[in-house]
Structures are given as structure tokens and as C-alpha cells.
Amino acid sequence: MEHVISVLVENKFGVLAHIAGMFSGRGFNIDSLAVGETEDPSVSRMTIVVHGDDRVVEQILKQLNRQVNVIKAVDLSQETHIERELVLLKIATTAKNRREVIEIADIFRSKVVDVQHGSLTIEAVGSGAKIAALIDLLKPYGILELARTGRIAVARG
Amino acid sequence: MEHVISVLVENKFGVLAHIAGMFSGRGFNIDSLAVGETEDPSVSRMTIVVHGDDRVVEQILKQLNRQVNVIKAVDLSQETHIERELVLLKIATTAKNRREVIEIADIFRSKVVDVQHGSLTIEAVGSGAKIAALIDLLKPYGILELARTGRIAVARG
């Protein structure tokens, strides 16, 4: 099963690598990871998406919550939550097909953030499924560069 | 100086923790880190933002480019590039001040993605500075939850 794990940690060096290591040490591959400061610069939030056995994830959560540098770790996939991801996509375009690419971007309510002679850069936000659908539609034009943030999530209500 | 490092890596377990460890091992604190799959599911892109000595960062880049699991590592802060970050913000609101919070969200072209009796959740995309300004304006209402992705970047042109 997929797990979306949100971990509040002290913003100290080594904490991030240590926590990422706790997953890989148990043979888990991290599908995505996003880390940023919170409103308190001494605290960061990590959002980790992994696929794996429920019981093992539960064990890792317990282990996380015992770490000195971890303030709180929760599995958001256990409750209703809002998930979003951001992607920057640089697509190969010509004067001829540029319009087509912009139309696809519009349908996905994404934004053109840069235009060059041979390329167009698009910023898109959505669920993982929406981003995947957009990438799939743009692939035939040629993806020159792609950066995605990995998912972040907050509990609903 | 600030460095925005983009690393294409093989999507294998342990790689992420190993690379994060290369920075913390040299005493660098990672300001933000975003990792997501590329159009090729066997390849992930990590975007790492660090502050630090230019020469040490250059050494780390060289070291990264020598790793078997690293396809390419570049310092995007050395070239013109586009940077974006995504944040989800859950703000404490009452029936009285909800309008005010929505107005602030509108000014920042951010989107209300959830409304509850006592809260509003906002999705915003922008440069690090824009996100910081938004957080600063919303702080007085009370931030209940905040998740940010960390920055991603692509080279311009």
C-alpha cells in the first residue's frame, strides 16, 4: 500500500539523511520526498511517499517518533488529507506546434512560465494522477527537462 | 552563497539517503530538498538547496558526478534558471475574517483548496521570496499546518 508520511523534524544537519536512511535501511524505496522549512525556521517538514507493507511502515513510524530530532511523524494516508505536487516541464516546441502545447497546458490549468525558440516551460500543480496525465500528453512533443517536487499533504479539517 | 543543485539519479533505494549524507557529512545543512520521478520511472531528479562555500560545493558536485548512481549533477545557480516552490497552508479562520484571508490568497494568485468551520487551506506556487511574503501575511491569523515542497528548478532556454 502507498503511505504518505509527514514528519516534523528539527532543522539540523544530518537529520534528513538519517531519516531517509531509516527507510532505505529497511529496503524501502522512497517514491518521493519533499522537505521545506515551516513557519518556524528551526523546524522542517518532510513528506515521504513510500510503497510498502503496512506493518513495517507502522514500525518505522514508531521508530521515527522515538527519535530526539523528530517532533511528530504521522501517516496521512490513514486520514482524509489534501495532496498536491508541483512540476516544471520544458517541452520541445516549434512555431507550428506551440499552440497545441499551450492548449494542453490550459486544459490542465497549468501556466507557461518561459518561452524560447525551441521550447516552452510549463508549471503545473495537482494530484499525482493529474501530473502523470499531463506528462503523458506532453511526452510525444519531447520532454527536454522535468523537475517535480514530490507530493506534500496536509490533513483535511 | 546559495546553491541550487539539480541531480539526476538512478531511482534505487539508498541513493537518496546516500546523497543527502554527502552534504551533511561535510557539515552542510540542506535548506530544502525535493525528489520526484522523471518521465523515466527509473530516474529521479533531486533538487537540493544549500548555503555554503562555493569551493566546497564545487567539490561536492565533482564527487557527485563520480558516483555510479548519479547520472548528472549541476549547480543551476551558475546559470539562468526558473525556480518554483509549492506550499499548502492551513490557516485558522472565523466567519468574520475568512474574507480577509481569501483576499490575501487572491492577491498572491493562490487557490483555496479546502474550507472548514475553523480553517481554510491555501495552495500557492511561486519563488521562495513570494512564498515567504505570503506566509508572513497569513501568520497573524494563525498557521495550523504548513507543508512546502522545497524548490525545484529548470535551466532557462
Side-chain angles (χ1 to χ4, degrees):
Chain A
M1 213 194 107
E2 190 189 80
H3 297 271
V4 179
I5 295 162
S6 181
V7 192
L8 272 180
V9 296
E10 287 177 27
N11 192 6
K12 286 185 183 159
F13 78 80
V15 174
L16 205 148
H18 177 66
I19 289 176
M22 282 175 64
F23 286 88
S24 56
R26 285 173 177 255
F28 273 82
N29 196 14
I30 293 177
D31 292 343
S32 79
L33 171 64
V35 189
E37 280 184 0
T38 62
E39 66 278 24
D40 174 355
S42 70
V43 174
S44 289
R45 182 185 294 275
M46 301 176 70
T47 311
I48 304 164
V49 179
V50 290
H51 275 85
D53 186 81
D54 293 9
R55 269 172 311 176
V56 181
V57 170
E58 213 174 288
Q59 280 168 21
I60 295 179
L61 270 177
K62 274 188 194 153
Q63 205 185 330
L64 279 169
N65 279 310
R66 275 198 300 265
Q67 305 287 313
V68 208
N69 296 312
V70 171
I71 297 155
K72 201 184 168 192
V74 288
D75 184 353
L76 284 175
S77 31
Q78 305 299 315
E79 39 188 310
T80 51
H81 64 282
I82 298 159
E83 253 183 58
R84 290 289 186 282
E85 187 174 359
L86 167 70
V87 64
L88 286 173
L89 275 159
K90 194 194 288 180
I91 307 298
T93 50
T94 59
K96 272 196 177 169
N97 68 12
R98 191 177 291 141
R99 188 87 300 265
E100 275 174 50
V101 173
I102 295 175
E103 272 167 18
I104 293 173
D106 282 346
I107 295 167
F108 281 81
R109 297 181 189 210
S110 51
K111 239 169 85 182
V112 174
V113 290
D114 192 39
V115 187
Q116 304 281 341
H117 282 296
S119 71
L120 207 72
T121 303
I122 293 169
E123 162 200 311
V125 175
S127 62
K130 180 183 158 179
I131 301 291
L134 176 63
I135 293 172
D136 194 49
L137 271 171
L138 292 173
K139 228 175 190 171
Y141 297 95
I143 294 174
L144 300 177
E145 226 174 312
L146 184 159
R148 55 200 289 182
T149 56
R151 285 184 265 165
I152 52 168
V154 298
R156 206 179 270 274
Chain B
M1 213 193 108
E2 189 187 81
H3 297 270
V4 178
I5 294 161
S6 182
V7 192
L8 272 181
V9 297
E10 287 177 28
N11 192 7
K12 286 186 184 158
F13 79 79
V15 174
L16 205 148
H18 177 67
I19 290 176
M22 282 175 64
F23 286 88
S24 55
R26 285 171 177 254
F28 272 83
N29 196 16
I30 293 177
D31 293 344
S32 79
L33 171 64
V35 189
E37 278 182 3
T38 62
E39 66 277 23
D40 174 355
S42 71
V43 175
S44 289
R45 183 187 293 274
M46 302 176 71
T47 311
I48 303 165
V49 179
V50 290
H51 275 86
D53 187 80
D54 293 9
R55 269 172 309 175
V56 181
V57 170
E58 212 174 287
Q59 280 168 20
I60 295 179
L61 269 178
K62 275 190 194 151
Q63 205 184 330
L64 279 170
N65 279 310
R66 275 198 299 264
Q67 305 287 312
V68 207
N69 297 311
V70 170
I71 297 155
K72 200 184 168 192
V74 288
D75 184 354
L76 284 175
S77 31
Q78 306 298 316
E79 40 188 311
T80 52
H81 63 281
I82 298 159
E83 252 183 58
R84 288 290 186 282
E85 187 174 0
L86 167 69
V87 63
L88 286 173
L89 276 158
K90 195 193 287 180
I91 308 298
T93 51
T94 59
K96 272 195 177 168
N97 68 13
R98 191 176 292 142
R99 188 88 299 265
E100 276 173 49
V101 173
I102 294 175
E103 273 167 17
I104 294 173
D106 282 347
I107 295 166
F108 282 80
R109 296 181 190 209
S110 52
K111 237 170 87 182
V112 174
V113 289
D114 191 40
V115 187
Q116 303 282 340
H117 283 296
S119 72
L120 208 71
T121 303
I122 294 168
E123 162 200 311
V125 175
S127 63
K130 180 183 158 179
I131 301 290
L134 176 63
I135 292 172
D136 194 50
L137 271 171
L138 292 173
K139 228 176 192 171
Y141 297 95
I143 295 174
L144 300 177
E145 227 174 312
L146 184 158
R148 57 201 287 183
T149 55
R151 286 184 264 166
I152 52 169
V154 297
R156 206 179 269 273

